[in-house]
Amino acid sequence: MATTSKPLLLSDMVASGEMNQVPSKYIHPITERPNYQNVVPDSIPVIDLQNLNGPNRSQVLDEIRRACSDNGFFQVKNHGIPESIIANMMQMAREFFNLPLQERLKMYSDDPTKANRLSTSYNVRTEKISHWRDYLGLHCYPLQDYIHQWPTNPESFRDIAAEYCRSVRVLALQLVEAISESLGLDKDYISAQLGSHAQVMALNYYPPCPQPDLTYGLPGHTDGYVLTLLLQDEVSGLQLLKDGQWVAVDPVPNAFVINIGDQIQVISNDKYKSAMHRAVVNSEKERISIPTFYCPSPDAVIGPAPQLVTDDEPAVYRQFTFEEYNRTIWTGGLHECLDAFHAT
Ligand code: OGA
Ligand code: NI
């Protein structure tokens, strides 16, 4: 366990004193700040999954296809995950971040190779500018390989988070099938490319920020995985880039925000877009979000689906193992990693 007089976590730095200014290491250059005046309130499609497994499946697939080719973002409702499971998970996350410092620090590590850990910003070992976020990263599949490393405080943490992960995985698999089918591929095609599969979750905690126009919870990035299923509390903060314009994705109770990750952009040979998004902070309220990242296993070999490669549309990417990609995500920092994987 780490003991130091310098706060390791942002939340404790914020709590420890009257902070009315953002420390300089969080300040972005003037041209790269959130610029809230230019953010538009808009909406992203809300897709009702009620009919995904019925006679109207093809209509739902059409909606998914449109959202994935437009900007890779949609929300889902009637997704089959009970409200109680969602509420318990959010409540548990809030309780965790409100635990006394000494309790939380038992999970602290700044080593990105450690699967289950509490940390701050993104990668404090390599980044030049810090982000206004603490987060608990957890590996969730196969559950029995990781659950013994999860927090035991709050007492029901493991039970509640495990139930949540299992239900989200069912939804993720349904979406992976639907996305595969919507690309004209066999519904099992993408799933079969993911090796033995993996699932990772982050509990993001964004404390109130005295100068939210100078920094980010997370600056613009794409998610490097297959699919992200994001649960957010009732505080706004997620924004996505749509036609060159930042759009606020305001919370819809009990809905999940789904975004396409880099691996689907590769498999689809650029037909689907890995969604560019960011999280902004505010001066009033803490914000919690819980993204689940559905992932390939490290040994999985990812590349454009041969069926989507033609003379007119040659392969945009080379093949790589997910292990190689994942290394780039964590060493390169938050930016678009796909560039390094273009076909020559
Ligand atoms: C992420 C992310 C957005 C949010 O964790 O990758 O983009 O709203 N989070 O917290
Ligand atoms: Ni993200």
Side-chain angles (χ1 to χ4, degrees), residues 73 204 218-219 221-224 228 230 238 259 275 277-278 291 293 334:
F73 249 101
N204 289 326
L218 282 171
H221 66 281
T222 63
D223 292 341
T228 304
L230 179 101
L238 176 64
N259 65 275
H277 58 285
R278 65 187 191 181
F293 305 106
L334 268 178

Side-chain angles (χ1 to χ4, degrees), residues 241-268:
L241 193 62
K242 188 174 166 185
D243 307 323
Q245 173 90 56
W246 287 103
V247 170
V249 183
D250 290 330
V252 173
N254 294 307
F256 281 86
V257 179
I258 310 295
N259 65 275
I260 295 300
D262 294 352
Q263 306 310 311
I264 286 194
Q265 179 164 332
V266 170
I267 293 171
S268 77

Side-chain angles (χ1 to χ4, degrees), residues 206-318:
Y206 304 103
C209 174
Q211 293 171 297
D213 42 352
L214 302 184
T215 190
Y216 291 99
L218 282 171
H221 66 281
T222 63
D223 292 341
Y225 310 99
V226 174
L227 198 63
T228 304
L229 302 89
L230 179 101
L231 183 66
Q232 47 177 346
D233 71 4
E234 65 294 340
V235 180
S236 297
L238 176 64
Q239 300 181 344
L240 77 98
L241 193 62
K242 188 174 166 185
D243 307 323
Q245 173 90 56
W246 287 103
V247 170
V249 183
D250 290 330
V252 173
N254 294 307
F256 281 86
V257 179
I258 310 295
N259 65 275
I260 295 300
D262 294 352
Q263 306 310 311
I264 286 194
Q265 179 164 332
V266 170
I267 293 171
S268 77
N269 203 28
D270 267 359
K271 292 199 164 37
Y272 287 178
K273 294 283 168 307
S274 183
M276 176 61 84
H277 58 285
R278 65 187 191 181
V280 299
V281 288
N282 73 83
S283 58
E284 304 287 315
K285 289 182 178 158
E286 63 181 29
R287 174 170 181 263
I288 291 179
S289 75
I290 307 179
T292 291
F293 305 106
Y294 207 74
C295 308
S297 54
D299 59 314
V301 177
I302 305 291
Q307 244 184 284
L308 302 177
V309 175
T310 61
D311 289 345
D312 291 340
E313 292 172 298
V316 182
Y317 305 98
R318 64 174 173 88

Side-chain angles (χ1 to χ4, degrees), residues 59 74 81 117-118 136 179 224 228 248:
Q59 276 167 28
F74 54 99
I81 301 181
R117 65 185 180 116
L118 177 66
L136 178 65
I179 288 167
T228 304

